[in-house]
Amino acid sequence: MGRRWLDFWHSLSGIGLLLGTLFFAAALTPTLVPRTFLTQGVLSGACFALGYGIGVFWRWLWAYLELPEPRERFRLIANTVIAILCAAVAVYFLWRAAEWQNSIRLLMQMEPVTSAHPTKLSLIALLTFITLLVLARLFRQVARFVAARMRRIVPRRVANVIGVVLAVLLFWLLANDMFFRLAIQAADSSFREFDALIEPDSPKPTLAVKTGSSASLVRWTDLGRAGREFVASGPTAAAISALTGRAALEPIRVYVGLNAAESPEQRARLALAELKRVGAFERSLLVVITPTGTGWIDPSALDSLEYLHEGDVASVAQQYSYLSSPLSLLVQPEYGEEAARALFREVYAYWTTLPKDRRPRLYLHGLSLGAMNSEKSAQLFEMIGDPIDGALWSGPPFASRGWRSVTDLRNAGSPAWLPQFRDGSFVRFMNQNGLGATPAAPWGPMRIVYLQYASDAVTFFDFRDLYRSPAWMERPRGPDVSPELTWYPLVTMLQLALDMAVATTTPMGFGHVYAPEHYVDAWIEVTGAPGWTADDIARLKQHLKAARTDGKKSDENRGG
């Protein structure tokens, strides 16, 4: 056994170990979201494997180009120096890891950690590296096996290329068709079963104006778990009046689940019929919502709007997936857009037939993947003659084309994490602290607000971080971004990819978890809030914050 480990150690590349250690160390530095020793260990191990692979490739390329090889004595001395250097670098960065994590935790008002658990972290990283190394060596063996067979009929180097290509295809097919597809099918089945569960604390509504009631066009069981939660929750007219001291209406919430009809178009028509049945077009505001991948709608967003307008609000949404937003984005990215577009088209077509002085103001809203699909649902050239009143999109994913375009065209001098766009009469950006600066002009006929946190990797991840430092890292930085954050080629992109996966594990008001008090400010920008004083707004924010903190919301729901 000892001999095997010795042979294994001698088989490792010195330059690969050096680059792997540098990548390992860089992965310990902070990015946007605090990490546990488990997630940090897996990330560091993967980064070590990446650096090691680059080193091995460099060594292979050196030999392939037939450059002079160093003498054995020189290699021995160099490898010894490399080993000492690697150990020193690893120890120093592990020593500082807790300090770096605390630089984020402090900004997010979290308890500091006293240790990064370097031993556990290192063991997890080692296990991750060995697993990836075994897979890489298996790939090499497959490529060599194929190449050896092909050399009988084609030249050696052509056979080597064929061996690599076929090995890539084999591993890709195995990963995609076997592991990935089975995992997606299992996830889809699991989410579907979860969606079908009837919650004991969400009884079928008795009021005729509620979707899912006996008078509704949509059956209670066809709403799905997220739809039932959406319809059954939210403030009542009595609760709104108790806070505001003014008369209030019962908010209208319409939701159509994935099982309610066969196609997005059919569900959209069903949603419109239900809106008409409950009198939604007689309210002052109508909001077309695109939910997250699981069909979830953030209560922080809608509760705040219903309080601000004393319940004189109707909202409508339709489900388009059972999967969480990241999985839905990978597997069925076009389906969310199709569903959002179908619903908007039905509602907008009917809304435009109503007299302008007797119809509700029409708005769009979405969070995360819902924001991206909501953004796609309404095309500006289609409604230029009769525009909607505005939109509030929170936590837009980095792939959102509209958001990306406006951010890239921001005014010179405004930060990428809170841009200013032209005179601010059409689009504005907000975060925890509100607007970045006072707009140069009042609102125009349509108001669009992006609510985003600088610590939200779902918004600020970018594949180009692989080779260049992102603009949002320039100073001054966002209020919730660590001053210790440093860009490293390749590594930073992997760090941000992990941050994106765990973006809903942060405290409320950071990462991808949007706080109700920040929604209040954003909705005031979009819809206005007549009759509300500064004290009234402060009281509402405190009430919503307390209610949301006490609510039992799962991490899956928060991320959708």
Side-chain angles (χ1 to χ4, degrees):
M1 187 68 178
R3 179 66 182 174
R4 285 185 181 180
W5 278 108
L6 189 61
D7 291 341
F8 173 75
W9 173 253
H10 284 307
S11 72
L12 296 177
S13 162
I15 188 66
L17 290 175
L18 176 61
L19 289 178
T21 302
L22 294 177
F23 277 45
F24 169 87
L28 293 169
T29 61
T31 43
L32 295 180
V33 177
R35 307 183 197 111
T36 65
F37 71 84
L38 176 60
T39 55
Q40 181 65 72
V42 172
L43 173 67
S44 296
C47 288
F48 187 99
L50 176 62
Y52 182 82
I54 294 172
V56 170
F57 175 77
W58 172 259
R59 183 73 185 84
W60 171 85
L61 184 62
W62 185 281
Y64 183 81
L65 295 175
E66 299 179 350
L67 296 173
E69 295 284 348
R71 294 180 180 179
E72 186 64 29
R73 178 176 174 77
F74 176 82
R75 289 179 60 183
L76 180 62
I77 295 174
N79 285 342
T80 302
V81 172
I82 286 173
I84 295 171
L85 179 63
C86 287
V89 169
V91 168
Y92 174 74
F93 276 73
L94 284 168
W95 174 61
R96 294 203 59 191
E99 173 192 343
W100 284 326
Q101 289 304 305
N102 285 334
S103 72
I104 315 174
R105 299 177 72 89
L106 177 66
L107 295 173
M108 294 187 177
Q109 301 164 17
M110 300 171 68
E111 286 292 323
V113 294
T114 56
S115 170
H117 303 283
T119 303
K120 295 179 182 178
L121 188 160
S122 299
L123 288 174
I124 294 169
L126 179 62
L127 181 61
T128 303
F129 166 67
I130 292 174
T131 301
L132 294 174
L133 181 63
V134 169
L135 288 174
R137 291 188 172 181
L138 178 61
F139 174 87
R140 184 179 64 183
Q141 290 299 109
V142 170
R144 285 179 174 177
F145 175 82
V146 174
R149 298 299 181 274
M150 295 302 299
R151 285 189 196 119
R152 299 171 184 173
I153 53 178
V154 297
R156 179 175 62 87
R157 291 188 176 178
V158 175
N160 290 342
V161 171
I162 293 174
V164 170
V165 170
L166 290 181
V168 168
L169 287 175
L170 177 63
F171 273 65
W172 172 258
L173 289 173
L174 286 173
N176 187 55
D177 288 351
M178 184 178 294
F179 300 112
F180 184 72
R181 192 177 299 278
L182 288 175
I184 291 298
Q185 289 175 352
D188 185 62
S189 176
S190 174
F191 281 120
R192 186 185 295 111
E193 291 174 6
F194 180 78
D195 184 76
L197 292 176
I198 301 292
E199 308 79 5
D201 57 343
S202 297
K204 181 177 179 178
T206 56
L207 292 176
V209 296
K210 291 283 189 178
T211 298
S213 67
S214 300
S216 174
L217 302 175
V218 186
R219 293 184 302 177
W220 182 241
T221 53
D222 287 342
L223 293 183
R225 186 181 182 92
R228 290 188 291 270
E229 179 187 346
F230 172 66
V231 170
S233 63
T236 62
I240 296 171
S241 292
L243 181 77
T244 64
R246 298 185 289 269
L249 298 174
E250 194 73 25
I252 292 174
R253 295 186 173 191
V254 171
Y255 193 98
V256 177
L258 203 53
N259 291 327
E262 288 296 323
S263 69
E265 291 76 18
Q266 290 173 323
R267 290 193 292 274
R269 288 193 288 271
L270 181 58
L272 177 62
E274 181 73 357
L275 285 171
K276 293 177 182 178
R277 184 190 73 82
V278 297
F281 291 94
E282 298 168 15
R283 293 300 172 95
S284 295
L285 280 76
L286 173 59
V287 185
V288 179
I289 303 172
T290 305
T292 62
T294 58
W296 182 70
I297 296 170
D298 190 351
S300 295
L302 202 58
D303 291 1
S304 56
L305 179 67
E306 289 169 343
Y307 271 104
L308 280 171
H309 292 274
E310 280 112 32
D312 194 11
V313 177
S315 56
V316 59
Q318 73 153 309
Q319 187 179 16
Y320 55 87
S321 171
Y322 296 115
L323 298 174
S324 64
S325 289
L327 288 177
S328 185
L329 187 60
L330 284 172
V331 178
Q332 44 189 206
E334 74 291 337
Y335 200 53
E337 177 184 352
E338 182 184 357
R341 180 122 180 82
L343 180 58
F344 174 77
R345 189 165 49 234
E346 287 290 331
V347 173
Y348 178 75
Y350 179 75
W351 179 77
T352 55
T353 66
L354 302 175
K356 292 187 177 181
D357 60 344
R358 291 169 52 194
R359 69 186 185 187
R361 287 183 284 158
L362 183 59
Y363 296 95
L364 301 178
H365 171 63
L367 164 68
S368 191
L369 183 60
M372 185 176 79
N373 287 323
S374 177
E375 188 183 76
K376 294 177 180 178
S377 69
Q379 298 181 6
L380 190 61
F381 69 88
E382 292 180 338
M383 55 182 186
I384 221 163
D386 195 0
I388 63 172
D389 292 272
L392 171 56
W393 292 314
S394 47
F398 66 94
S400 303
R401 290 194 296 266
W403 170 86
R404 172 68 64 188
S405 176
V406 174
T407 300
D408 289 345
L409 295 172
R410 67 189 181 276
N411 296 347
S414 66
W417 48 268
L418 195 62
Q420 296 167 40
F421 183 70
R422 298 184 180 175
D423 61 2
S425 62
F426 177 52
V427 177
R428 297 178 186 178
F429 290 80
M430 301 182 70
N431 65 2
Q432 302 97 321
N433 301 325
L435 295 169
T438 303
W443 279 111
M446 187 189 301
R447 305 181 178 190
I448 295 177
V449 166
Y450 288 101
L451 177 61
Q452 59 191 43
Y453 300 148
S455 56
D456 189 352
V458 174
T459 296
F460 291 105
F461 174 85
D462 192 331
F463 287 106
R464 291 174 296 179
D465 298 340
L466 180 80
Y467 58 85
R468 62 103 173 99
S469 177
W472 55 264
M473 283 183 60
E474 297 173 3
R475 299 180 189 274
R477 291 178 175 172
D480 46 345
V481 174
S482 169
E484 303 285 347
L485 192 156
T486 304
W487 176 79
Y488 298 98
L490 302 177
V491 174
T492 296
M493 191 197 74
L494 294 179
Q495 289 177 308
L496 293 173
L498 176 62
D499 287 348
M500 185 166 54
V502 298
T504 59
T505 62
T506 62
M508 191 170 295
F510 303 97
H512 201 55
V513 186
Y514 287 82
E517 58 269 32
H518 304 146
Y519 272 116
V520 169
D521 292 330
W523 280 123
I524 290 174
E525 281 293 323
V526 176
T527 67
W532 284 78
T533 66
D535 289 342
D536 292 337
I537 292 172
R539 189 169 67 254
L540 172 61
K541 288 181 178 180
Q542 186 58 40
H543 171 78
L544 291 171
K545 182 178 180 180
R548 188 71 176 95
T549 302
D550 294 340
K552 295 180 180 179
K553 306 296 180 182
S554 70
D555 287 342
E556 165 57 32
N557 279 348
R558 286 165 61 183

